[in-house]
Structures are given as C-alpha cells and as structure tokens.
Amino acid sequence: NKIILKIDNKIVTTIDIFNEIKALKFFNKSVNQLDDKEIYNLAIQSITKHEIKKNEIFKNFKSFEMQNKDYFNKLVENQYKSLGFQNIEKFKNELINKKISFENFQEKLKVEILWGQLIYSKYYNNLIIDEEKLKQQIDVLNKRNSLNLREIVFEVSGINEIETKYNLIKDDIKKLGFESTALKHSISNTSANGGNLGWIDENSINNEILNELKKISVKSITQPIRIQSGFLILQKLDEKEIQKKFNEEEELKKLIDYEKNQQLNNYSNLYYNKIKKNIKINA
C-alpha cells in the first residue's frame, strides 16, 4: 500500500484505487470492457471528482446528512433495483461478498445529491428559459417522435483538437462500445451509466441538437455539437413515433424542466472545472 496522489490534504493510496475499481466494476458492467490501464485511470478520475466535490460541499453546507431521508432512501432503492436486487438486504449481502463498502456507496450518493443542490442554489437565478420558443416546439398535431439517446460530453484545450478528439472517441466506440467509451471520455454526470439518456420526446430537445439528430440514422452518432460546457456527441439508439393526445400545459412544463436540467448540467461542469483549478493535486 503506497500513496498514489494527494488531493489537497486527502491522501489516495493503492488500496483506495483498488476499492474504487471494485465498485466501478460492480455498479457499471461496461467498465469491464476497458483495459486495465483505462480502468485504473477511470478510478483515479472518479476518486478525484468525488473528493473535489465533497471538499466543496463541506465549504457550503453545515451538515453532510440528508434533510429528506425518504428521498435519499428512495434513490438507494432505485439504485439497487436497477442492478436487479429486490430488496436492500440482498443488495448489502452482495456488497459484502464483493468486499465493497455500503457506507462508501451511500457517501457517493449523498455527495451527488448535495452537489446538485449546490449547483441549483448558485445558478438557478441564471437560468434563461424562453417559453415562447419552447411552445413552438410542441407538436399541436399530437404526432411526433421519441428518441432513445446516449451522450458523450468532452472538452478540448484548443479548437484545433476537436477533430482529433472526435476521431479518438469514434475509434473507441468501434472497439469498446458507446457505454464504455462514455465512461472513458465523457465529463457529463451521465458517464456513470454509460451516457444513457433514455427515451426523450423530440419536442423536449433543443432545435439545434434536434437538427443534428435528424441528420443521422439509428445506431449512428452526431458530429460534435458545441454546448456551454464543451462538445456533445449523441448516439441515436432507436426512434419511434408517438401518437397520443397530450396536455399542452403539461408538455410545456416538461420542456421547461428539461431545459433547466440541461442548463444546470452545463453549470455543474463549468463550476467543477473552475474549482478544480484551485485544488492542489500531487501525483
């Protein structure tokens, strides 16, 4: 056991990385598609992001405990059920068998929840929602498409590096599959579940992004799309037509919620990169 890096005053050892790798493999099977070096680097990135976020949370919150315990317990339930466990006892027993800490799992979940609350409190007043523009996206004919999407959000240090990074991501998608490539390259929070966004009504999608999606066929990926926090690549997994009547007020609310979440995710990436520059990391 030796020290691998220091994140401010937090020491990260080989045992920490070994435990992180076990957890990554357990909670996301796509990790197993990566080679050992890639998994090692992913564990380093995961620990670094967690510690930086946790450090910032301690600066902004009086308590690390959940105020709404029912909400937290529901998220825990969603997590273990998504992995195929029917109850928390079976989930905990499997973690024990795999020598994975349930307490560490809880801590990571708390950090992500509190990080979301922090971003919301800092940037909610900065959100710009053009309701008139969103209303124009609503299909008054009650007939539109729903798209099953995955995403990769990446950064580059210079405009000339976009094509190189894009080609690297495309090559990795061919070799590893999209989910493993998202784990490897994406800076979005969705990287933890392979970039999966699920089924999204096309009326909920920004027009610029939707236009790019209309250019590609199922199973294909878009060209890099410029967004506030970097560049976005989307994969269209499937597409289906929806024919149903809907309440336009409810549909508008969905559009507004989706737009708010997109903007908050962008602010999350920007804020993380900002505070990371002030964190002392020694490898």
Side-chain angles (χ1 to χ4, degrees):
N1 188 30
K2 65 177 183 178
I3 296 173
I4 301 299
L5 76 158
K6 291 182 180 179
I7 306 167
D8 270 355
N9 296 321
K10 170 67 177 178
I11 293 174
V12 179
T13 69
T14 50
I15 289 179
D16 295 322
I17 294 171
F18 177 70
N19 289 333
E20 186 69 15
I21 288 172
K22 285 192 297 182
L24 286 170
K25 287 183 173 182
F26 178 79
F27 287 105
N28 196 318
K29 305 305 179 186
S30 298
V31 172
N32 295 295
Q33 301 298 317
L34 304 177
D35 63 35
D36 289 343
K37 184 178 180 181
E38 290 170 333
I39 295 173
Y40 177 86
N41 290 334
L42 182 62
I44 293 280
Q45 293 169 17
S46 179
I47 291 172
T48 301
K49 182 172 282 191
H50 174 72
E51 292 300 329
I52 290 175
K53 286 183 176 181
K54 186 168 74 169
N55 186 52
E56 192 67 13
I57 286 165
F58 278 128
K59 291 179 182 177
N60 288 275
F61 290 95
K62 295 180 180 179
S63 172
F64 196 60
E65 290 305 310
M66 295 289 98
Q67 298 299 316
N68 189 337
K69 295 189 183 299
D70 289 338
Y71 172 69
F72 178 72
N73 291 335
K74 186 62 179 177
L75 291 180
V76 171
E77 181 183 352
N78 291 342
Q79 181 75 59
Y80 67 69
K81 284 189 174 180
S82 71
L83 294 168
F85 297 96
Q86 296 303 309
N87 56 62
I88 196 167
E89 287 75 21
K90 290 182 178 180
F91 175 60
K92 285 183 176 180
N93 287 336
E94 186 62 19
L95 290 179
I96 292 171
N97 291 336
K98 299 289 186 181
K99 294 183 170 62
I100 297 171
S101 168
F102 178 72
E103 288 70 25
N104 286 348
F105 157 74
Q106 285 186 307
E107 180 185 283
K108 286 197 170 187
L109 191 54
K110 288 178 181 179
V111 165
E112 289 306 313
I113 293 169
L114 292 171
W115 176 263
Q117 292 177 8
L118 175 62
I119 297 302
Y120 184 89
S121 66
K122 284 183 174 293
Y123 294 105
Y124 182 76
N125 290 332
N126 293 3
L127 301 182
I128 300 173
I129 306 297
D130 187 341
E131 289 195 20
E132 290 304 315
K133 187 176 180 180
L134 293 178
K135 285 177 182 178
Q136 294 173 12
Q137 295 183 36
I138 299 177
D139 188 351
V140 295
L141 298 176
N142 300 328
K143 180 180 177 182
R144 71 270 194 209
N145 287 336
S146 181
L147 308 176
N148 191 4
L149 302 175
R150 290 173 177 159
E151 70 168 357
I152 291 174
V153 178
F154 68 91
E155 296 175 307
V156 290
S157 55
I159 200 74
N160 295 328
E161 297 179 17
I162 298 172
E163 186 174 356
T164 301
K165 181 73 171 181
Y166 179 60
N167 289 332
L168 175 62
I169 289 172
K170 284 199 299 183
D171 289 342
D172 277 345
I173 289 173
K174 289 179 182 177
K175 290 186 295 185
L176 305 171
F178 194 96
E179 290 182 303
S180 297
T181 304
L183 276 167
K184 183 178 177 181
H185 292 288
S186 183
I187 62 171
S188 171
N189 290 335
T190 59
S191 64
N193 67 341
N196 286 300
L197 295 172
W199 286 97
I200 298 176
D201 192 319
E202 67 178 11
N203 289 336
S204 301
I205 302 172
N206 173 282
N207 280 332
E208 180 185 353
I209 294 174
L210 184 60
N211 289 336
E212 292 298 317
L213 286 166
K214 287 180 177 179
K215 295 177 184 178
I216 64 172
S217 58
V218 171
K219 305 296 183 185
S220 299
I221 63 172
T222 64
Q223 293 290 320
I225 303 167
R226 188 74 171 95
I227 59 174
Q228 192 174 11
S229 59
F231 291 88
L232 170 69
I233 297 171
L234 289 168
Q235 182 185 48
K236 188 195 295 183
L237 283 174
D238 202 356
E239 186 173 4
K240 63 184 179 183
E241 188 177 271
I242 302 173
Q243 294 188 31
K244 65 176 184 179
K245 292 184 179 181
F246 59 91
N247 184 296
E248 290 192 21
E249 289 185 7
E250 291 179 359
E251 199 71 13
L252 179 61
K253 183 180 183 302
K254 290 179 184 177
L255 287 174
I256 292 172
D257 288 343
Y258 178 79
E259 184 63 26
K260 286 179 179 178
N261 286 334
Q262 288 295 98
Q263 291 185 33
L264 287 170
N265 283 336
N266 283 331
Y267 280 123
S268 173
N269 290 330
L270 290 169
Y271 187 67
Y272 174 80
N273 288 331
K274 176 184 175 182
I275 63 174
K276 185 179 179 182
K277 292 178 182 178
N278 298 321
I279 298 291
K280 190 175 182 180
I281 301 176
N282 295 320

